[in-house]
Structure formats: C-alpha cells, structure tokens
Amino acid sequence: MRTDGIYVWRIDRFNDLFNQHKGLSGDINSNSIYSQRFQTPEGYQFRMRLFLNGAGKGKDKYVSVFIQMCKTEYDQVLVYPFQGLCSVTIYDQNTNPARLKKEHFTVKFKTNNSSCFQRPVDEYNPENGIAQFVSHETLLQHKSMAAWDETKPVYISQDVLFIGAEVKYNINKIDKLFSSAGVRNQSSRDQPGRGEPGNVPPEVEDFQETPMDT
C-alpha cells in the first residue's frame, strides 16, 4: 500500500467494463468498482469508487468518482474530521515526443465536515466526490489505439485507462492555496486547453447509497 497519499489505478479492459456498466441497472453496488487502499503520510487511509456509467446527476452521461475514508488501527491518535484537499486525475497517455507536456484531466476539491470525513465507525465511511467528473463524450473523444501517433491528449490507450487520486492533509495551507487561486467554492478544474462546455467547476457531493435517477 502506498503511504504518500497518492494512488494510480490502471484499469484494463476498459471497453468491456464500460459496456458492461452501461447495461446494468438496479443494484448500485454492481455498477461500481473500488480501488485498493492508499494512505497519507499522517496515517489516514482512503480508497476510490468509480462509476463508469455515472451515479446520481452523472448517470448515463458521465464517469463518477468518489473518495472513501477507511477505518485504520491508528484512528484513535489521528485528528478528525479529516481536513484536506483531494485531487482526481485521468492521465494523458500520449507518448508523442513532439508534445511539450502531458495534458492530464484533473479535478480538485476540499473535504467537508460531513460524515464522510469523520472518524470511521464502520470499515468505510460514506463517499464524497464528483458525480459529473468527466463526460463520456470527452473521455471517448480522447481515445486511441496508437497514442504515439496523436497530437491531442489520449486518456484511453490500448483499452487501458489510468486514473489516480491524491489526498493531502493540512487545511491551513489548502485555504491559502485556494485563496491565492481566487477559488471561492470547494472544487476547481485543472485541464490545460480542454474541458467541459463552459468549463464550469464540478459539483462536489456526498454519495447516496440508493440509486438516484435525477
């Protein structure tokens, strides 16, 4: 398990998983996949929950991503509620050497004081994250079987998607970061040159365990 607060998740057979999830309905647990746990340097543990066909407001049109806090053997000495910054990234796999830099798709959001970030009582807390993380249209537009031949960002290459999360603790530094960036709300989008229509910051929400169709 990584202990630097960063997790990179390789999702193989993306097309099969995507099509499988688009054909599912009913049991919400069968419509999502979980990452392995990862840990911050302070000892907090998290995992990612991914809905390829969306959940809640993102259903059928978006990939939804949520961060879930996990119970640990160190919880008695950790400070709660957890306060920090979460970043979720889809990695650009374009390997064209002519491109000057990668254009990863990243969304950042601050934690809140909901039950999602309180000291865990059960094995896992409720999730918090972004129902409208990235649209299916945007994701599939940046798809290639030969990433080295492309000049645009490639998010799915050879049927593989790389998605990652980074969780940082220390609310004082985070408040200064958001203040200096002029961000008023709890989320921001960092995707050079690309974005959803209007480039509107995504809405961060606590995940509901019952399916939401609206």
Side-chain angles (χ1 to χ4, degrees):
M1 176 170 42
R2 290 190 65 155
T3 58
D4 57 358
I6 299 174
Y7 184 79
V8 179
W9 189 4
R10 175 184 169 124
I11 299 177
D12 296 297
R13 298 175 41 251
F14 175 84
N15 287 328
D16 287 346
L17 278 173
F18 182 72
N19 292 328
Q20 176 185 339
H21 285 203
K22 285 186 73 71
L24 292 174
S25 61
D27 181 15
I28 194 112
N29 290 314
S30 65
N31 297 350
S32 63
I33 53 178
Y34 292 94
S35 74
Q36 297 179 1
R37 291 187 179 201
F38 61 99
Q39 181 175 297
T40 69
E42 297 79 16
Y44 299 97
Q45 289 187 14
F46 299 88
R47 68 176 181 176
M48 300 173 65
R49 187 176 187 182
L50 184 65
F51 293 82
L52 294 179
N53 195 39
K57 296 176 182 178
K59 182 69 174 174
D60 296 326
K61 294 183 178 180
Y62 289 81
V63 172
S64 302
V65 180
F66 296 90
I67 301 293
Q68 188 171 37
M69 175 163 272
C70 310
K71 191 174 185 178
T72 80
E73 58 185 344
Y74 304 107
D75 287 340
Q76 292 89 332
V77 296
L78 295 175
V79 177
Y80 286 94
F82 175 84
Q83 295 181 312
L85 178 69
C86 301
S87 302
V88 181
T89 297
I90 293 178
Y91 291 93
D92 178 6
Q93 298 182 57
N94 192 323
T95 57
N96 185 347
R99 297 176 76 232
L100 297 178
K101 64 179 181 179
K102 297 284 190 178
E103 293 185 43
H104 305 311
F105 185 102
T106 298
V107 174
K108 302 176 182 180
F109 61 95
K110 289 170 64 177
T111 61
N112 56 36
N113 290 324
S114 71
S115 60
C116 301
F117 299 103
Q118 302 293 332
R119 179 178 286 107
V121 175
D122 298 320
E123 192 66 21
Y124 303 101
N125 278 357
E127 299 100 328
N128 179 267
I130 306 158
Q132 296 176 320
F133 172 57
V134 59
S135 70
H136 293 162
E137 180 182 6
T138 296
L139 190 63
L140 297 177
Q141 279 178 350
H142 297 277
K143 177 180 177 182
S144 175
M145 294 298 291
W148 51 87
D149 292 333
E150 303 289 343
T151 58
K152 63 184 180 181
V154 175
Y155 301 132
I156 303 169
S157 178
Q158 300 181 38
D159 211 17
V160 174
L161 173 74
F162 285 94
I163 185 169
E166 180 176 9
V167 180
K168 293 182 178 180
Y169 175 77
N170 192 328
I171 194 63
N172 293 328
K173 290 183 180 179
I174 290 164
D175 280 339
K176 291 179 181 178
L177 182 153
F178 271 73
S179 176
S180 63
V183 178
R184 292 184 302 146
N185 207 340
Q186 57 188 359
S187 59
S188 66
R189 183 179 299 279
D190 176 18
Q191 188 199 14
R194 309 280 177 177
E196 303 296 340
N199 216 20
V200 178
E203 180 180 351
V204 180
E205 58 189 69
D206 296 346
F207 178 69
Q208 305 293 324
E209 259 315 319
T210 54
M212 298 180 294
D213 296 325
T214 58

